[in-house]
Each structure stands twice: as structure tokens, then as C-alpha cells.
Amino acid sequence: MFIKHSRLDRFILALNSTFLILAVLMVVLPLIYVVIASFMDPSVLLNHGLSFNISDWSLEGYKKILSNPAMIRGFGNAVFYASAFAILTVMVSICAGYALSDERLKGRSFFMTLFLITMFFGGGLVPTYLLVKNLGLLNTVWAVIIPGAVNIWNIILSRTFFKGVPKELREAANVDGASEMKIFLSVVLPLSKPIIFVLALYAFVGQWNSYFDAMIYLDNPSLHPLQLVLRSILIQNQVDPSMISDQLAMAEMKKLSEIIKYAAIVVSSLPLLIMYPFFQKYFEKGVMVGSLK
Amino acid sequence: MQNSVQVDYRKKTVIRQKSNTFEYLKKHYFLYLMLAPALILTLIFKYGPMYGAIIAFKDFSPIKGIMGSEWVGLHNFEKFLSSPNFTDIFMNTLKLSLFGLILGFPVPILLALMLNQVRRAGVKKNIQLLLYAPNFISVVVVVGMLFIFLSPTGPINQLFSLFTNEPIMFMSRPEYFRWIYILSDIWTGAGWASIIYVAALANVDPELHNAANLDGANLLQRIRHIDLPTIRPIMAIVFILAAGNIMSIGFEKAYLMQTATNLPTAEIIPTYVYKIGLQAGDYAYSSAVGLFNSVINVILLVTVNFIVKKLNEGEGLY
């Protein structure tokens, strides 16, 4: 490629780079701020803002947040919910996608329509809540795992993937006399690792970051996932009194609660932010396949 | 004689058809078995609530149940439409979503066009990595960061204190709610939303650009006549989908951002449905409001699809 750039072109390219750098800074600076602030000494942060002097730093926020039982429990719950949800979602979507990709399945377009309607129309919050309640799922872990497990996007994703698997593979196995189930389990499934991975990642991240279902279905604090615990710390300003000893004055408490917030953000977001660059390829794949329909 | 032969013949076909269906199911039952979990879950958890939504037309009492409660027709809908806060809540929902769409829609496209000009692949990849990151931060944390950054003593006000004496109460004043909501949405989502455009642009044949360059087209002209037409079909689909979701704007973020004093702009239909339904326990009324919202949403989707189809030479969502 030998594109000759005129002077105007080079000016535009320079402008382009400037704006891109600005965009990156706008995304990154708040995150960097939070990370640095989380390591600050509480009173320095409150009175002078950020400081790059090592003597002004402390691990107080992390000590408090990591010794908070609600936070630890929330972390454990979130890992469990997200994993269970990912496993269920993957199984349901892979099976449905496989069936819907097979031309021998009669009534495919009817089933697809049935699924697609749910994308644009739903019964609404209260009827869904009443259903979950009547099924006896309220205040059980199933309430956050089962109702959301079937998702039309995931089914479309996996159907698209299986449509790309050469038909000859299935047919060849069929000639050998293998049963449909055997073909699926021993021929198709081993080829499906990428799609399983994509679906699992999306489901895991989605569940990890959500709070709404848990908020409406789970009253019992011992079942609360991380995001609900974070909500009470970050937004409702309910710093667990056990994190701050009673003798401390109000001002001290306010200072500490700020630091605890920063530390809580870092601790809760770091796992995903560290993990995601390694899986970026798969996440992007998910977006692309989904858009092809 | 002839007659009986005909009957026999018909009978045979019926029997053959039946055994065909049977044979078919015997041969392919596995496929239906595979479909069953998704189908059952969808029927229960997606279609079940649609059926349950008939409580919107009833004077629901938990003791009598959905079927036993008294039928009141459109009473609950009339109650919402004539309630004093209807206009406010409806317009809040519409404005938040519409302004969000107008401001948010072009940003990923611009980012993609800009990224497409980055020549060095490694640099481009690293920029993308950073721009996508906020997509993985949860709503709770994003709103938590908003509260921290925009608090009267927070870093933004510390910056502003150079120009003003009084700290600005960002989170509690109604006039800032929409701006904060929409801009922070762009912060979290725009990078991620650009992926699909970036990928489409990467598929443009470089020869096109070379040829245009030889013909004397400058960079802006090439972007306008080569890059933009490439991503136009995707733009149309993304736009229709977004417009179809105008009324189903997320509950999660708005609810977290609400404070006691910003409700005049921050109360939207989904948060209202939650409050009257699950907090106050008025199930029937809340269902009616939710249903009203869904219906408007479907109407919007169909209308926007129709308009875009007209403007986009017959290319719509369906």
C-alpha cells in the first residue's frame, strides 16, 4: 500500500491521533484515579487529593475490605452464581442451537419465531416476579440462575456456529451407524470448544456484574452476590460498622469509608479487567457472530 | 364396489402418513430432546409471565389468585394515563432514551473510523484493548464511581473549584441526571459498540483506497465514499435495534442513580413499575404500566423499521 498523503490528509491524520489519545485518556484516567486513590492514606486523600509520595500511601482500605465478611461471602456467592449460570446457559443454548441448525428438525421456523418474540415482548417485571414466587424459587439460588438461562442471542450464536460445521461430518458418522447422540457427543461437541467458550464467558461476566435479579429475588443477605454488597457500600453508603471500630469519630469514619469504596471497586473489578485481555479474541468473536444472525 | 376400493385406498394413505410421522420422530427424537430444555424454559419463564400479565386487566387479590380475581378491563391503564405523574414519567423515559440514542449512536462509528486510520496493528490493538475495558465494569461500580467523582468534595468538584466557589451538586440536581446518565453510558459502552464497525472496515479492500488515492481523492473523501458506505447496512440494523429498545431502557442504572432530589427527571417507567409493584405491592397497576411500556416499545420498533427500510433502499431488520 502506497497511499500518498497530501498535506490536508496528514493534518487530518494528526487530528485523528490526537482525538484517539484523548478518547483513551478519558477511558483510562478515571480507572487510574481509582486505583491510586485506593492506596492512599485516608486523611491525605481527603485533604490533598492524590499524592505520589510513597509515605502517603497505605493499605488501610484493602485491609478493611478484605476482612469484611459480607464482601467475602458476596465474592463466594458471585463465583458460584456466575459459574452455575454459565454452565446452565451453555448447555441449554448449545443443545437448542444444535437442534435448530439441523435441517431435519421439522418446525424450525416456528420454534425460532417462538424464541424471537421473547426478544421484543415480555410479560413484565411483576408477572415474572409472581411466577418465580409461585414456583417457590424466591430466596433460593435458583431464582438468579434458572429464569435467565435461556437467552435468544445465545441460541442464535450457537445455531450460527453449528450451521458452519460441515454437514458431511454428521452424515459420515451416520453412515458408520453411530446414533445421533453419539455423533453429537463424539464428533460435533469436540469441535465446539470456541462457541462453548464464548457463551460461557458472556454468561459468566453478565451474571457476575448483575445485581437486579438478586435484589428482587433474594432477601436473605447470606445469599447476596458481590454486586449487592457493593451496592450497599458504594451507593447506599452503608459501611459495615464492624469494618470501623466504634471509638472512631464521625470524621474518621467518613475518611475511612471513602478509602473502603475505592478499594472495593478495585477488588471487585480487577478479576474481570485482568482476565479480559486474554479472552478479548473470544469476546469479539461473540459480537461478530451475533451480528451475522 | 368402486367406492369401497377408494375408501380402502384412503385408509392406507392415512396409515402410511401416521407411520411416517412415527418413523420420523423415532429417527429424529434426539433433535427434539435437544431443543426441549430451551423450549420448556422459554415457555415457563418467558411465556408464563405474558400469560400472567392479564392481571393488568384485573383487580388482583393474592388470595383469589390470577384467575379468580375480578375483571376490571382497562381500569388500571386509565388510572396510569390519568395519574398526575404520567406525563412526567413518560417524557422522562422517552427523553432519556432518545437523547441517549442521538448522542450515543454516532460515537462508536466515529471511534471505528478513527481506529481504522491507525496504521500500526499493534498500536491499534492496544488502543482497542483500553477502549473496550469499561464494558467489563459492572453498573454498580460505574454508578458508585459517579457518586464518588461527582460528590461535592470529589475530584471533579475539586477541579471546578478553580472556577466556582460553590461545589456543584451533580447527583442531586434533576437537571444533570440525563447528562450524567448518557455520558457515562457512552463511557462504558461506546468502545465495545465500535467492534462491529471496526471489523467491517477491516474487510474493505485496500485496492479501493489505492485507486481512489490515485484519482486524487483526499482522506476525508475516501472515508465518505468508501468507508461509510461499507458500514451503512450495519448502522441501519444497530439503529433499528436501539430504537426498538427506546422504551425498554435499562432499569438497573437509573435506579442506582436516583437520589431523593433528582426524581423529577430520574423517575422512568421501569423504576416506577418496580416501586409501585414490588415495593408498594400494587401488582395489577404495576403490570398495567409495564404492559403499556412493552406495547409502545413494539409499536416503536415496527415504525422505526418501516422508516429505516424506506430510507435505506429496502434494507431493514425484517
Side-chain angles (χ1 to χ4, degrees):
Chain A
M1 274 211 306
F2 295 105
I3 286 188
K4 264 184 260 158
H5 290 300
S6 65
R7 197 180 292 174
L8 176 70
D9 284 3
R10 263 176 281 153
F11 173 70
I12 295 168
L13 281 176
L15 215 60
N16 187 56
S17 309
T18 319
F19 278 121
L20 265 184
I21 292 169
L22 276 179
V24 170
L25 284 180
M26 263 153 65
V27 164
V28 173
L29 279 182
L31 299 178
I32 294 178
Y33 184 95
V34 170
V35 173
I36 296 177
S38 73
F39 285 105
M40 296 291 302
D41 181 85
S43 44
V44 177
L45 181 69
L46 193 68
N47 298 326
H48 311 287
L50 295 189
S51 145
F52 294 92
N53 189 343
I54 296 287
S55 64
D56 292 335
W57 289 18
S58 89
L59 289 171
E60 203 56 26
Y62 289 96
K63 274 183 201 151
K64 298 284 180 204
I65 203 75
L66 292 175
S67 60
N68 176 10
M71 193 79 182
I72 308 278
R73 201 171 47 215
F75 218 92
N77 284 340
V79 171
F80 172 69
Y81 296 155
S83 314
F85 182 73
I87 292 170
L88 188 64
T89 306
V90 167
M91 288 195 329
V92 170
S93 331
I94 289 287
C95 291
Y98 179 77
L100 288 168
S101 75
D102 196 316
E103 282 162 14
R104 293 167 302 172
L105 182 88
K106 283 184 184 164
R108 263 173 310 142
S109 59
F110 168 75
F111 292 127
M112 271 317 280
T113 317
L114 208 67
F115 287 125
L116 279 169
I117 288 174
T118 66
M119 209 161 109
F120 300 109
F121 193 77
L125 174 70
V126 168
T128 310
Y129 174 83
L130 288 178
L131 179 79
V132 170
K133 190 177 164 191
N134 291 335
L135 290 173
L137 299 178
L138 226 51
N139 258 322
T140 69
V141 295
W142 306 114
V144 288
I145 295 172
I146 297 179
V150 52
N151 174 315
I152 178 64
W153 280 114
N154 293 339
I155 294 178
I156 292 177
L157 274 180
S158 82
R159 187 186 68 147
T160 312
F161 176 85
F162 288 121
K163 273 190 174 167
V165 173
K167 243 190 277 176
E168 291 74 25
L169 268 178
R170 293 189 199 178
E171 280 161 11
N174 225 340
V175 171
D176 291 345
S179 72
E180 297 253 0
M181 194 192 295
K182 202 163 173 221
I183 297 171
F184 174 71
L185 289 178
S186 57
V187 179
V188 181
L189 213 52
L191 295 173
S192 321
K193 275 179 207 141
I195 185 71
I196 292 177
F197 211 49
V198 169
L199 291 174
L201 279 176
Y202 271 95
F204 188 93
V205 172
Q207 181 67 247
W208 181 273
N209 279 341
S210 75
Y211 77 94
F212 182 64
D213 285 352
M215 179 178 81
I216 62 175
Y217 297 135
L218 306 175
D219 275 338
N220 185 349
S222 68
L223 292 177
H224 283 180
L226 182 65
Q227 297 300 328
L228 271 190
V229 181
L230 281 175
R231 171 171 168 256
S232 67
I233 296 175
L234 295 177
I235 291 157
Q236 298 172 316
N237 275 314
Q238 288 164 351
V239 172
D240 188 345
S242 70
M243 277 196 268
I244 299 164
S245 61
D246 304 328
Q247 291 90 342
L248 293 177
M250 273 304 283
E252 197 70 15
M253 205 155 140
K254 189 173 168 2
K255 267 192 280 182
L256 258 180
S257 81
E258 282 297 297
I259 258 331
I260 288 173
K261 283 180 186 175
Y262 286 117
I265 292 177
V266 174
V267 169
S268 65
S269 310
L270 213 57
L272 287 192
L273 286 182
I274 286 179
M275 179 197 90
Y276 124 82
F278 297 102
F279 299 127
Q280 192 193 5
K281 199 174 69 187
Y282 292 97
F283 281 117
E284 286 188 32
K285 205 180 256 170
V287 176
M288 293 317 301
V289 182
S291 64
L292 294 175
K293 282 208 307 187
Chain B
M1 194 59 194
Q2 249 187 346
N3 213 354
S4 78
V5 168
Q6 252 180 350
V7 168
D8 266 348
Y9 176 71
R10 270 196 211 138
K11 257 186 191 162
K12 251 185 198 163
T13 357
V14 170
I15 290 166
R16 191 176 300 147
Q17 266 175 359
K18 258 190 190 159
S19 75
N20 273 355
T21 318
F22 183 70
E23 284 284 301
Y24 171 80
L25 279 178
K26 200 178 154 192
K27 213 170 161 190
H28 300 301
Y29 74 97
F30 179 67
L31 292 176
Y32 290 91
L33 214 63
M34 298 276 278
L35 189 64
L39 201 60
I40 292 168
L41 283 175
T42 304
L43 289 177
I44 296 177
F45 290 105
K46 297 290 196 303
Y47 284 89
M50 286 187 208
Y51 165 76
I54 56 170
I55 66 166
F57 303 96
K58 297 201 161 197
D59 181 16
F60 182 70
S61 106
I63 303 153
K64 291 180 188 163
I66 293 176
M67 286 320 291
S69 295
E70 208 169 312
W71 193 263
V72 290
L74 294 174
H75 171 77
N76 287 317
F77 294 89
E78 280 160 14
K79 188 175 152 194
F80 179 49
L81 292 177
S82 60
S83 82
N85 41 18
F86 168 74
T87 324
D88 281 347
I89 296 176
F90 184 76
M91 290 314 284
N92 282 346
T93 316
L94 202 62
K95 278 185 194 162
L96 186 61
S97 215
L98 212 57
F99 296 164
L101 178 62
I102 293 167
L103 285 174
F105 180 71
V107 181
I109 299 168
L110 283 174
L111 278 179
L113 291 173
M114 279 156 59
L115 276 167
N116 193 41
Q117 296 304 325
V118 179
R119 286 280 157 263
R120 267 177 284 177
V123 176
K124 184 176 163 186
K125 200 160 186 274
N126 282 327
I127 297 177
Q128 283 171 296
L129 198 68
L130 293 172
L131 289 181
Y132 299 165
N135 184 54
F136 293 89
I137 300 173
S138 74
V139 208
V140 176
V141 168
V142 169
V143 178
M145 281 167 66
L146 288 175
F147 272 106
I148 296 176
F149 283 132
L150 299 173
S151 88
T153 53
I156 301 287
N157 263 315
Q158 280 171 14
L159 260 179
F160 278 27
S161 66
L162 304 172
F163 314 107
T164 56
N165 297 324
E166 292 275 302
I168 305 173
M169 313 296 280
F170 288 104
M171 297 306 282
S172 48
R173 296 287 290 278
E175 63 263 40
Y176 298 122
F177 172 78
R178 268 178 217 129
W179 284 106
I180 298 171
Y181 185 102
I182 292 166
L183 292 178
S184 61
D185 248 15
I186 292 175
W187 185 79
T188 19
W192 190 252
S194 72
I195 289 183
I196 173 170
Y197 298 114
V198 171
L201 287 173
N203 288 332
V204 173
D205 185 358
E207 278 308 309
L208 273 178
H209 280 283
N210 284 342
N213 189 44
L214 281 178
D215 288 343
N218 68 30
L219 185 58
L220 282 184
Q221 285 168 324
R222 292 204 312 270
I223 289 175
R224 197 174 120 68
H225 295 287
I226 299 173
D227 289 349
L228 268 183
T230 309
I231 55 175
R232 210 172 71 161
I234 303 176
M235 282 164 58
I237 289 175
V238 171
F239 188 82
I240 298 171
L241 281 176
N245 280 327
I246 278 195
M247 296 304 283
S248 63
I249 184 163
F251 162 96
E252 307 205 349
K253 191 167 158 197
Y255 181 68
L256 291 176
M257 281 178 66
Q258 287 179 352
T259 56
T261 44
N262 70 8
L263 286 183
T265 57
E267 190 78 288
I268 56 176
I269 294 180
T271 55
Y272 184 64
V273 166
Y274 171 73
K275 286 176 194 169
I276 54 171
L278 296 189
Q279 286 185 340
D282 194 345
Y283 290 156
Y285 179 47
S286 168
S287 300
V289 178
L291 203 58
F292 169 83
N293 200 35
S294 299
V295 171
I296 300 251
N297 207 15
V298 171
I299 294 173
L300 268 175
L301 179 73
V302 175
T303 320
V304 173
N305 187 51
F306 178 77
I307 297 170
V308 172
K309 232 175 178 172
K310 281 266 138 92
L311 296 176
N312 201 29
E313 295 145 13
E315 288 292 316
L317 190 59
Y318 51 83

